[in-house]
Short mmCIF file of all heavy atoms in Angstrom, two decimals:
data_model
loop_
_atom_site.label_atom_id
_atom_site.label_comp_id
_atom_site.label_asym_id
_atom_site.label_seq_id
_atom_site.Cartn_x
_atom_site.Cartn_y
_atom_site.Cartn_z
N THR A 38 -22.70 -10.86 3.31
CA THR A 38 -24.01 -10.28 3.52
C THR A 38 -24.17 -9.77 4.93
O THR A 38 -23.43 -10.18 5.85
CB THR A 38 -25.12 -11.32 3.29
OG1 THR A 38 -25.00 -12.34 4.30
CG2 THR A 38 -25.03 -11.96 1.91
N VAL A 39 -25.11 -8.86 5.11
CA VAL A 39 -25.42 -8.35 6.47
C VAL A 39 -25.85 -9.50 7.39
O VAL A 39 -25.42 -9.56 8.53
CB VAL A 39 -26.57 -7.32 6.45
CG1 VAL A 39 -26.69 -6.61 7.76
CG2 VAL A 39 -26.35 -6.31 5.34
N ALA A 40 -26.63 -10.42 6.84
CA ALA A 40 -27.12 -11.51 7.65
C ALA A 40 -25.96 -12.34 8.18
O ALA A 40 -25.90 -12.72 9.37
CB ALA A 40 -28.05 -12.38 6.82
N GLN A 41 -24.98 -12.64 7.32
CA GLN A 41 -23.79 -13.40 7.79
C GLN A 41 -23.02 -12.62 8.84
O GLN A 41 -22.59 -13.16 9.85
CB GLN A 41 -22.85 -13.67 6.58
CG GLN A 41 -23.35 -14.78 5.70
CD GLN A 41 -22.49 -14.88 4.42
OE1 GLN A 41 -22.14 -13.86 3.85
NE2 GLN A 41 -22.09 -16.10 4.10
N LEU A 42 -22.85 -11.31 8.59
CA LEU A 42 -22.14 -10.46 9.60
C LEU A 42 -22.84 -10.54 10.93
O LEU A 42 -22.16 -10.68 11.97
CB LEU A 42 -22.11 -9.03 9.12
CG LEU A 42 -20.88 -8.45 8.44
CD1 LEU A 42 -21.09 -6.98 8.18
CD2 LEU A 42 -19.64 -8.67 9.29
N GLU A 43 -24.15 -10.45 10.90
CA GLU A 43 -24.89 -10.40 12.18
C GLU A 43 -24.96 -11.72 12.91
O GLU A 43 -25.31 -11.81 14.05
CB GLU A 43 -26.27 -9.79 11.95
CG GLU A 43 -26.13 -8.33 11.60
CD GLU A 43 -27.45 -7.55 11.57
OE1 GLU A 43 -28.42 -8.11 11.07
OE2 GLU A 43 -27.47 -6.43 12.13
N GLN A 44 -24.56 -12.80 12.27
CA GLN A 44 -24.40 -14.05 12.97
C GLN A 44 -23.21 -14.01 13.89
O GLN A 44 -23.14 -14.73 14.88
CB GLN A 44 -24.15 -15.20 11.96
CG GLN A 44 -25.39 -15.74 11.29
CD GLN A 44 -25.07 -16.72 10.26
OE1 GLN A 44 -23.93 -17.28 10.19
NE2 GLN A 44 -25.98 -16.96 9.33
N MET A 46 -21.59 -10.86 14.96
CA MET A 46 -21.38 -9.62 15.72
C MET A 46 -22.63 -8.75 15.69
O MET A 46 -23.46 -8.89 14.83
CB MET A 46 -20.19 -8.87 15.22
CG MET A 46 -20.38 -8.36 13.80
SD MET A 46 -18.81 -7.77 13.07
CE MET A 46 -18.55 -6.27 14.03
N THR A 47 -22.69 -7.80 16.63
CA THR A 47 -23.72 -6.80 16.61
C THR A 47 -23.19 -5.57 15.91
O THR A 47 -22.18 -4.99 16.26
CB THR A 47 -24.09 -6.43 18.09
OG1 THR A 47 -24.26 -7.62 18.84
CG2 THR A 47 -25.31 -5.57 18.16
N LEU A 48 -23.91 -5.19 14.88
CA LEU A 48 -23.52 -4.01 14.11
C LEU A 48 -24.10 -2.76 14.74
O LEU A 48 -25.16 -2.84 15.35
CB LEU A 48 -24.03 -4.12 12.66
CG LEU A 48 -23.47 -5.26 11.82
CD1 LEU A 48 -24.27 -5.32 10.47
CD2 LEU A 48 -22.00 -5.08 11.56
N THR A 49 -23.40 -1.68 14.62
CA THR A 49 -23.97 -0.39 15.05
C THR A 49 -24.97 0.03 13.97
O THR A 49 -24.97 -0.49 12.86
CB THR A 49 -22.86 0.71 15.16
OG1 THR A 49 -22.37 0.94 13.85
CG2 THR A 49 -21.75 0.29 16.09
N ALA A 50 -25.82 1.01 14.32
CA ALA A 50 -26.85 1.47 13.37
C ALA A 50 -26.15 2.06 12.10
O ALA A 50 -26.63 1.85 10.98
CB ALA A 50 -27.68 2.53 14.04
N GLU A 51 -25.04 2.70 12.33
CA GLU A 51 -24.30 3.32 11.26
C GLU A 51 -23.74 2.24 10.28
O GLU A 51 -23.79 2.38 9.10
CB GLU A 51 -23.14 4.03 11.90
CG GLU A 51 -22.74 5.35 11.28
CD GLU A 51 -21.34 5.72 11.72
OE1 GLU A 51 -21.02 5.55 12.93
OE2 GLU A 51 -20.56 6.12 10.89
N GLU A 52 -23.27 1.15 10.90
CA GLU A 52 -22.73 0.04 10.06
C GLU A 52 -23.80 -0.65 9.29
O GLU A 52 -23.67 -0.99 8.13
CB GLU A 52 -21.97 -0.96 10.96
CG GLU A 52 -20.65 -0.44 11.52
CD GLU A 52 -20.04 -1.33 12.59
OE1 GLU A 52 -20.80 -2.07 13.26
OE2 GLU A 52 -18.80 -1.33 12.72
N ARG A 53 -24.89 -0.83 9.98
CA ARG A 53 -26.02 -1.53 9.38
C ARG A 53 -26.48 -0.81 8.11
O ARG A 53 -26.65 -1.37 7.05
CB ARG A 53 -27.17 -1.57 10.42
CG ARG A 53 -28.23 -2.49 10.11
CD ARG A 53 -28.85 -3.09 11.39
NE ARG A 53 -29.16 -4.50 11.08
CZ ARG A 53 -29.97 -4.83 10.14
NH1 ARG A 53 -30.60 -3.89 9.35
NH2 ARG A 53 -30.23 -6.11 9.91
N ALA A 54 -26.63 0.55 8.26
CA ALA A 54 -27.09 1.36 7.12
C ALA A 54 -26.04 1.28 6.00
O ALA A 54 -26.37 1.16 4.84
CB ALA A 54 -27.27 2.79 7.58
N GLY A 55 -24.78 1.31 6.39
CA GLY A 55 -23.69 1.24 5.42
C GLY A 55 -23.72 -0.08 4.65
O GLY A 55 -23.50 -0.17 3.45
N CYS A 56 -23.95 -1.15 5.37
CA CYS A 56 -23.98 -2.51 4.80
C CYS A 56 -25.11 -2.62 3.78
O CYS A 56 -24.98 -3.23 2.72
CB CYS A 56 -24.16 -3.59 5.88
SG CYS A 56 -22.69 -3.84 6.83
N VAL A 57 -26.27 -2.06 4.12
CA VAL A 57 -27.42 -2.15 3.24
C VAL A 57 -27.14 -1.42 1.93
O VAL A 57 -27.49 -1.90 0.87
CB VAL A 57 -28.69 -1.59 3.96
CG1 VAL A 57 -29.85 -1.42 2.97
CG2 VAL A 57 -29.07 -2.43 5.16
N PHE A 58 -26.40 -0.34 2.05
CA PHE A 58 -26.08 0.46 0.82
C PHE A 58 -24.88 -0.13 0.02
O PHE A 58 -24.80 0.05 -1.18
CB PHE A 58 -25.71 1.88 1.30
CG PHE A 58 -25.30 2.81 0.18
CD1 PHE A 58 -26.22 3.30 -0.74
CD2 PHE A 58 -24.01 3.17 0.06
CE1 PHE A 58 -25.84 4.15 -1.76
CE2 PHE A 58 -23.58 4.01 -0.97
CZ PHE A 58 -24.53 4.49 -1.89
N ALA A 59 -24.04 -0.89 0.73
CA ALA A 59 -22.74 -1.24 0.16
C ALA A 59 -22.82 -1.84 -1.23
O ALA A 59 -21.99 -1.49 -2.08
CB ALA A 59 -22.02 -2.23 1.11
N LEU A 65 -19.45 -5.92 -0.22
CA LEU A 65 -18.99 -6.31 1.09
C LEU A 65 -18.37 -7.72 0.96
O LEU A 65 -18.99 -8.62 0.44
CB LEU A 65 -20.19 -6.33 2.05
CG LEU A 65 -20.04 -7.08 3.38
CD1 LEU A 65 -19.06 -6.38 4.30
CD2 LEU A 65 -21.39 -7.20 4.08
N ARG A 85 -12.01 -3.26 11.90
CA ARG A 85 -13.43 -3.19 11.59
C ARG A 85 -13.73 -2.05 10.64
O ARG A 85 -14.47 -2.21 9.63
CB ARG A 85 -14.15 -2.98 12.93
CG ARG A 85 -15.61 -2.92 12.93
CD ARG A 85 -16.04 -3.10 14.38
NE ARG A 85 -17.47 -2.87 14.53
CZ ARG A 85 -18.20 -3.29 15.55
NH1 ARG A 85 -17.61 -3.98 16.50
NH2 ARG A 85 -19.49 -3.07 15.62
N ILE A 89 -15.80 -3.06 7.26
CA ILE A 89 -17.24 -3.02 7.48
C ILE A 89 -17.75 -1.67 7.04
O ILE A 89 -17.29 -0.63 7.60
CB ILE A 89 -17.59 -3.39 8.95
CG1 ILE A 89 -17.13 -4.83 9.20
CG2 ILE A 89 -19.09 -3.24 9.19
CD1 ILE A 89 -17.50 -5.38 10.54
N PRO A 90 -18.71 -1.64 6.12
CA PRO A 90 -19.23 -0.38 5.61
C PRO A 90 -19.85 0.42 6.71
O PRO A 90 -20.41 -0.08 7.67
CB PRO A 90 -20.29 -0.81 4.56
CG PRO A 90 -20.00 -2.24 4.24
CD PRO A 90 -19.33 -2.81 5.44
N ARG A 91 -19.82 1.75 6.56
CA ARG A 91 -20.51 2.64 7.48
C ARG A 91 -21.31 3.63 6.69
O ARG A 91 -21.10 3.85 5.49
CB ARG A 91 -19.48 3.41 8.38
CG ARG A 91 -19.01 2.58 9.55
CD ARG A 91 -17.90 3.29 10.34
NE ARG A 91 -16.68 3.39 9.56
CZ ARG A 91 -15.71 4.24 9.83
NH1 ARG A 91 -15.82 5.09 10.83
NH2 ARG A 91 -14.61 4.25 9.09
N ALA A 92 -22.25 4.31 7.37
CA ALA A 92 -23.18 5.25 6.73
C ALA A 92 -22.45 6.37 5.97
O ALA A 92 -22.97 6.87 4.97
CB ALA A 92 -24.10 5.87 7.73
N MET A 95 -22.40 6.80 2.16
CA MET A 95 -23.55 7.28 1.41
C MET A 95 -23.48 8.80 1.25
O MET A 95 -24.33 9.35 0.54
CB MET A 95 -24.84 6.92 2.12
CG MET A 95 -25.02 5.41 2.26
SD MET A 95 -26.61 4.94 2.92
CE MET A 95 -26.34 5.08 4.67
#
Side-chain angles (χ1 to χ4, degrees):
T38 65
V39 190
Q41 284 173 315
L42 260 184
E43 289 191 319
Q44 279 173 19
M46 65 193 287
T47 310
L48 295 172
T49 64
E51 219 198 317
E52 288 169 333
R53 194 147 218 300
C56 287
V57 170
F58 177 74
L65 162 69
R85 182 165 173 160
I89 297 185
R91 279 175 290 160
M95 298 187 276

